[in-house]
Amino acid sequence: MPPDISFTPDNDLYKNRDTLFEDYTPDTIVGRDTELEQYHEALQPVINGERPSNIFLYGKTGVGKTAATKFLLDRLQRDADQYDVDLTVIYLNCEDLSKSYQIAVKLVNELRDPSDQISETGHPGYKVYEYLWDELDAVGGTILVVLDEVDNIGDDDSILYQIPRARSNEHITNAKVGIIGISNDLSFRDNLSAKVRSSLCEKAISFPPYDAPELQDVLQQRADTAFHDDALADDVLPLCAAYGAQDAGDARKALDLLREAGDIARAADADHVHDHHVEKARDKLEREEVMDGIADLAEHQQLTLYALATFEGDDETPVSSSTVYDRYQSLCHYIGSDPRSARRVRDFLKELADLSITARTPQNEGLSGGKYHDHDLKHDLETVVVAMADLVDYVGVHEGIEDVVRSSDEIVLSSDIDATLSPD
Ligand SMILES: Nc1ncnc2c1ncn2[C@@H]1O[C@H](COP(=O)(O)OP(=O)(O)OP(=O)(O)O)[C@@H](O)[C@H]1O
Ligand SMILES: [Mg+2]
């Protein structure tokens, strides 16, 4: 008989949990006063009916670039209506758009009637631009084109000077068009060609990482809408903010942490969210991040990690790069794959350490004076093995990780564990 399962609403802690998600747009933006002031000033020409400036916004992930943009453009649209300024805002996320051509097509289709769309491929480049100029001129007035995550176009960036120059090149006559480019890739701006940089970055606004007090303001504002009064113990927001500041000042991560802590407290039927719920939430999120990081590794990087994991299972870590390399070679041998060079594997080990999956410690080699590195896993063996279960399944279970594979109920393999691979 299946257990009698039923669902009862349990919203003792949360008032509106949805507001802790990314897609919720807060009514106001806190902790970004200087940036909002600069942004406001850069947009001022629009309300005066003047040619808009092209604006470039840059800063690391989760620092409020998109949120501030949506907020300010909302206000601008509202005030433009009040002052009878003919303003059209087109917001485009370039996440899946890696070419200027694709962006131009997308813009044409945004501006056109749904019944009159153009296909995504097959037009000569100049033709797509012609369509675009026609559509922009047909709309007229002031048009702001927001290209969020614009770094996805890499160096195929012709649209970033075509649009700003469309008017001086007499492609358009009616409309006044401005571009707002947004990027979290800090090298993107430096790598722009001089002619793009000068037109796109007329006004460049930097969004720095949040510090802990700013994050606390952001979290407080969300917590007020998301949780019931008194649902959070006093130290919860400062703790989430402190972790967020450590994590590159990323508000998205800080909000995720708060929500996860709330969920853990709710699952435990707690009356309040406490700091130990935050600690648990942080462990969980960190674990998920490592697992994602491992899952994204290329096969030979994973094989290198597998080799190191076998030593961890035998309590032999930390171990040197050359020890890892020997084990790595035998794993390659089992699957009939050509091993990469020892040097390449040392690079892999360095990359694993850079990703915080492993720890890498320099050692001095006694009298000979040479230097080498020791390696160790930074997370528990089970987490690592679960994350590369597909590879383990494919290669077979090495003796070093046999115990953890047997005892874990999270690792489900199709291969027969009894056919354990010998140590070397
Ligand atoms: N100052 C703020 N006030 C309120 N909420 C904020 C603030 N800054 C960021 N947030 C929230 O944090 C999350 C991340 O912010 P946002 O999406 O604006 O980051 P971003 O800088 O655009 O990052 P990315 O480069 O990854 O796109 C969103 O849920 C956003 O609503
Ligand atoms: Mg964004």
Side-chain angles (χ1 to χ4, degrees), residues 288-350:
E288 281 170 9
E289 203 173 291
V290 176
M291 308 240 321
D292 289 347
I294 293 175
D296 285 345
L297 295 173
E299 186 181 35
H300 282 260
Q301 288 173 310
Q302 275 202 11
L303 280 166
T304 306
L305 181 62
Y306 188 177
L308 177 59
T310 61
F311 291 105
E312 178 92 0
D314 283 336
D315 270 340
E316 287 172 19
T317 46
V319 285
S320 68
S321 312
S322 58
T323 311
V324 175
Y325 187 61
D326 291 344
R327 181 68 47 92
Y328 158 83
Q329 280 183 303
S330 32
L331 293 177
C332 289
H333 172 73
Y334 291 132
I335 53 171
S337 175
D338 282 341
R340 305 286 190 263
S341 67
R343 190 195 169 116
R344 193 80 190 95
V345 168
R346 278 203 305 275
D347 289 344
F348 291 157
L349 284 166
K350 176 160 186 315

Side-chain angles (χ1 to χ4, degrees), residues 21-26 28-32 59-68 148-149 182-184 210 218 221-222 250-252 255:
F21 282 89
E22 165 115 47
D23 53 9
Y24 173 79
T25 310
T28 55
I29 297 290
V30 290
R32 294 275 84 152
K60 290 193 178 149
T61 186
V63 296
K65 301 182 298 297
T66 301
D148 202 350
E149 308 190 19
I182 306 178
S183 170
N184 61 24
Y210 287 109
V218 172
Q221 182 208 38
R222 291 293 183 97
D250 180 339
R252 187 181 292 119
L255 285 165

Side-chain angles (χ1 to χ4, degrees), residues 203-234:
K203 305 275 178 192
I205 305 173
S206 149
F207 275 58
Y210 287 109
D211 61 19
E214 287 167 341
L215 278 178
Q216 200 170 322
D217 289 346
V218 172
L219 291 170
Q220 182 71 56
Q221 182 208 38
R222 291 293 183 97
D224 289 345
T225 59
F227 290 96
H228 289 294
D229 292 348
D230 300 330
L232 306 182
D234 288 347

